[in-house]
Amino acid sequence: MNTDGQASPPPGAFVQVSSGLNHSCARNIDNVVACWGLRDAIGDLHNRVARSVHCGEERHTCVIHLDGHIECVGLNDKLSHPPTGRFVQMDIGADHACAVRTDGTVACWGENYYGQATPPAR
């Protein structure tokens, strides 16, 4: 399905890609993010420099910046306020997200209907 252009990537060589419901993003070798598809889900992350980019199932996208902090944009208010700190990896579900801090601990945010945003203790 390509109703919003989410399946039509721009030209270029990329080292990471992530796809959501209505949008997709990729990161090139220079760590520059390219996004396409539904504009509401992309916000102003297009052309940002980041360590990684992550598209959620709904209309939201997050990046881990080179310094390790997370920034999220889009229409999902539940995910618009990620935790502070420095992170090395993350993933996004429909209404929640989790990320690994530089010390190896996991932080989650968003909806927690089923305990999905409450990581187990170490």
Side-chain angles (χ1 to χ4, degrees):
M1 200 161 97
N2 195 28
T3 55
D4 294 300
Q6 68 268 36
S8 299
F14 298 95
V15 295
Q16 185 216 344
V17 66
S18 182
S19 296
L21 181 65
N22 300 93
H23 68 295
S24 300
C25 294
R27 183 178 53 87
N28 71 17
I29 195 163
D30 296 320
N31 295 316
V32 177
V33 173
C35 295
W36 56 97
L38 189 67
R39 291 296 309 162
D40 290 341
I42 298 166
D44 61 354
L45 295 179
H46 185 75
N47 285 329
R48 289 283 181 97
V49 175
R51 177 183 299 176
S52 61
V53 60
H54 308 274
C55 297
E57 291 178 27
E58 296 296 328
R59 298 175 176 176
H60 53 276
T61 304
C62 298
V63 296
I64 299 178
H65 288 279
L66 295 179
D67 68 0
H69 82 275
I70 295 173
E71 177 183 10
C72 298
V73 299
L75 298 179
N76 191 329
D77 290 335
K78 300 168 188 88
L79 295 175
S80 61
H81 303 290
T84 59
R86 303 292 179 238
F87 297 86
V88 295
Q89 195 272 336
M90 72 172 294
D91 202 6
I92 304 175
D95 288 321
H96 76 288
C98 293
V100 179
R101 293 181 186 277
T102 55
D103 68 2
T105 59
V106 174
C108 298
W109 66 102
E111 289 296 345
N112 196 32
Y113 295 125
Y114 308 104
Q116 70 269 33
T118 305
R122 281 182 124 176

